[in-house]
Amino acid sequence: MLASQLEAARSQMAFTLGFHIILASLGVAFPAMMLIANYRGLKHDDADALLLARRWSKAVAVTFVVGVVTGTVLSFEFGLLWPAFTGRFGTVFGVLFAIEGICFFLEAIFIAIYMFGWQHLKPWAHFWAGVPVVISGLGGAFSVVAVNSWMNQPQGFSPATGKVTSVEPFKVIFNRAVPYEVPHMILAAYLVTRFIVASIYAVRLLRGRRDRYHRLDLLIPLTVACIATPIQFVVGDTAARAIARDQPIKFAAMECVQRTSTDVTEYIFGRCTSSGTKGGIGIPGLDSILVGGTTSTKVTGLDTVPSDDRPPLDTMLHWAFDTMVGICTLLIALGVWFGLVWWRRRDIPKTRWFLRAVAVSGISAVLALESGWIVTEVGRQPWIVYNVMHTKEALTNASGIWVTFILVLLLYAVLGTSLVLTLRAMSRRWHAAGPDDEDADVPYGPSGVLPAEDAG
């Protein structure tokens, strides 16, 4: 019975996290892209860029609303599914959720001001009203990811067992995993958002819409994404080395290292078994080099802990890690292609193969994002707080989790379908309207002319 309840609770949490993380990424990164277009429109009196900013602001508002619902469900699940966890450690990580709540309300307020401001604020005042949206989104992302970081590297509380009576907030907030987990997640959010948007407009270009508006649609998100991708690769490498040091069993499961040794072979894909990795592409000594720089570096194996303390589904974990790294590598190659052509011609590559590659980059980035969360969450198991509390110890005693899981599936199916249909309807209307925006009667706008006193 306990195993069934635990499976249901973990499945529900995994599904809601996997769904919400996409919307959360859009909520964190989309406003910045909107402001880049807004800034270009004002700085260069660019009507196409202003049109982009106005339309993207509507998409920001829609995704934010749906993200509010999925995030609310997720927050309730902490208490409903894992009451022993929140009951014991709520006073520890509660300060981070309080910060997240403040950031959420600020983001909601300034999104409303920004949307309202298209018709009622002067150009640069309106632009600056959007800046707090970006800042609060980053603040919210920091606080939520810091909670997850603390679960991976718990500190700043005592005693280690029993009721928590002493909390050091700064040690909780700035735990050892924050320096690599927070940048890694924020960069992932920016990459996913930009590649998704770029992929949509690449499809448009493939279908013959080669006007300046659509080229600008592609250029803004793709440029930022291609610059950020190699940075993400470096941050991810740093994170992997830190995991090997701080969570060696997670790293062993990620790389299918069964026994502690030196000169450990790096396997690309393959099936993890108790006797080693079967299949896949083996590169002798590379795993040790990646961890410590030399083949003599010792890599901790799964054999150092009892089987009950090892992450489950190690083959899935290994494949998720390789998928994340592989996609990031391919996206770097896409960025190099784009960068070289831009450097030589100051234009995007004209070949249809490039546009096809960009068209699939969006779904590829989402797959990498989900793979990263599998590595983070499944890799920490069977601990909900690493080396402090097992996941099964935090589980609710209430029955009927499978029922709530089904209800959550239905709710998210409705939300996801509604979001996709709404965004598609907006996109089709914009596509049909072309460069002529339906809201051209604003004081400054996509198809308007800036007043002389506001143009600077």
Side-chain angles (χ1 to χ4, degrees):
M1 180 63 180
L2 177 61
S4 177
Q5 288 282 87
L6 182 60
E7 181 182 354
R10 288 185 60 194
S11 298
Q12 182 174 330
M13 200 74 184
F15 174 76
T16 49
L17 272 172
F19 191 103
H20 179 69
I21 194 61
I22 300 173
L23 292 171
S25 296
L26 292 172
V28 169
F30 215 153
M33 191 165 63
M34 170 189 75
L35 282 187
I36 290 173
N38 197 166
Y39 178 83
R40 179 179 176 82
L42 295 178
K43 190 70 174 178
H44 301 285
D45 197 10
D46 189 335
D48 287 331
L50 284 175
L51 177 58
L52 268 180
R54 186 171 178 85
R55 289 176 172 177
W56 282 349
S57 69
K58 296 176 181 178
V60 166
V62 171
T63 54
F64 178 80
V65 169
V66 178
V68 168
V69 179
T70 59
T72 301
V73 172
L74 192 58
S75 63
F76 277 111
E77 285 180 343
F78 273 98
L80 294 174
L81 299 179
W82 318 106
F85 169 62
T86 54
R88 180 178 172 190
F89 295 110
T91 55
V92 179
F93 59 77
V95 62
L96 284 165
F97 278 133
I99 295 171
E100 193 274 337
I102 294 170
C103 291
F104 163 77
F105 283 114
L106 288 174
E107 187 175 5
I109 290 168
F110 280 98
I111 285 177
I113 293 173
Y114 188 84
M115 297 298 293
F116 180 81
W118 281 110
Q119 295 177 322
H120 299 282
L121 292 176
K122 292 183 178 181
W124 284 107
H126 176 247
F127 168 82
W128 287 109
V131 173
V133 179
V134 177
I135 296 174
S136 57
L138 291 173
F142 173 90
S143 57
V144 171
V145 178
V147 173
N148 188 270
S149 301
W150 176 84
M151 293 164 70
N152 285 317
Q153 289 295 300
Q155 64 179 48
F157 68 97
S158 60
T161 59
K163 184 178 179 181
V164 173
T165 58
S166 179
V167 178
E168 299 177 75
F170 282 100
K171 286 188 176 181
V172 173
I173 296 171
F174 301 103
N175 58 78
R176 290 180 62 184
V178 158
Y180 58 85
E181 276 201 32
V182 170
H184 197 47
M185 183 61 234
I186 289 176
L187 282 169
Y190 273 73
L191 289 176
V192 166
T193 300
R194 277 150 176 74
F195 278 121
I196 287 176
V197 175
S199 68
I200 293 171
Y201 290 106
V203 172
R204 292 279 180 81
L205 291 172
L206 283 168
R207 292 175 178 175
R209 298 299 296 263
R210 298 299 181 100
D211 53 89
R212 182 180 181 277
Y213 170 80
H214 284 85
R215 291 166 66 82
L216 190 63
D217 287 349
L218 177 67
L219 186 61
I220 291 176
L222 186 61
T223 299
V224 178
C226 289
I227 293 172
T229 304
I231 300 173
Q232 175 71 314
F233 193 90
V234 174
V235 172
D237 178 69
T238 302
R241 294 172 189 268
I243 290 170
R245 179 191 68 237
D246 298 332
Q247 294 178 279
I249 301 305
K250 175 190 282 191
F251 185 83
M254 288 160 48
E255 296 286 25
C256 293
V257 180
Q258 298 295 328
R259 293 171 180 81
T260 302
S261 63
T262 59
D263 196 16
V264 177
T265 299
E266 168 80 15
Y267 284 94
I268 301 175
F269 295 105
R271 182 169 56 89
C272 301
T273 70
S274 58
S275 57
T277 305
K278 305 298 182 183
I281 301 173
I283 305 175
L286 182 59
D287 212 7
S288 291
I289 293 173
L290 292 176
V291 172
T294 66
T295 57
S296 61
T297 302
K298 182 182 292 185
V299 180
T300 302
L302 294 169
D303 62 340
T304 57
V305 298
S307 58
D308 288 345
D309 285 343
R310 301 173 189 173
L313 306 171
D314 48 1
T315 296
M316 182 187 75
L317 190 62
H318 176 57
W319 277 54
F321 180 69
D322 285 355
T323 298
M324 177 180 62
V325 174
I327 290 174
C328 189
T329 303
L330 293 174
L331 293 177
I332 289 174
L334 178 64
V336 171
W337 185 359
F338 170 61
L340 288 175
V341 174
W342 183 264
W343 176 63
R344 292 175 58 191
R345 303 176 185 172
R346 288 297 184 269
D347 197 2
I348 62 173
K350 297 184 181 299
T351 172
R352 294 179 68 83
W353 282 110
F354 175 78
L355 293 177
R356 289 174 182 139
V358 177
V360 300
S361 66
I363 189 66
S364 300
V366 171
L367 179 59
L369 176 71
E370 297 290 0
S371 297
W373 271 97
I374 289 172
V375 171
T376 299
E377 299 305 303
V378 176
R380 191 180 60 247
Q381 299 304 313
W383 304 96
I384 193 168
V385 181
Y386 187 64
N387 281 339
V388 175
M389 174 182 278
H390 283 98
T391 305
K392 63 184 178 182
E393 296 177 299
L395 182 64
T396 180
N397 293 322
S399 59
I401 298 179
W402 284 113
V403 175
T404 63
F405 185 23
I406 293 171
L407 292 175
V408 167
L409 284 173
L410 294 174
L411 172 63
Y412 278 39
V414 172
L415 288 172
T417 302
S418 300
L419 176 62
V420 171
L421 291 177
T422 300
L423 292 176
R424 281 179 61 87
M426 293 165 61
S427 178
R428 287 172 176 172
R429 178 162 54 82
W430 296 337
H431 180 67
D436 300 318
D437 190 55
E438 66 277 10
D439 298 317
D441 59 341
V442 296
Y444 84 101
S447 57
V449 179
L450 293 178
E453 66 271 20
D454 296 327

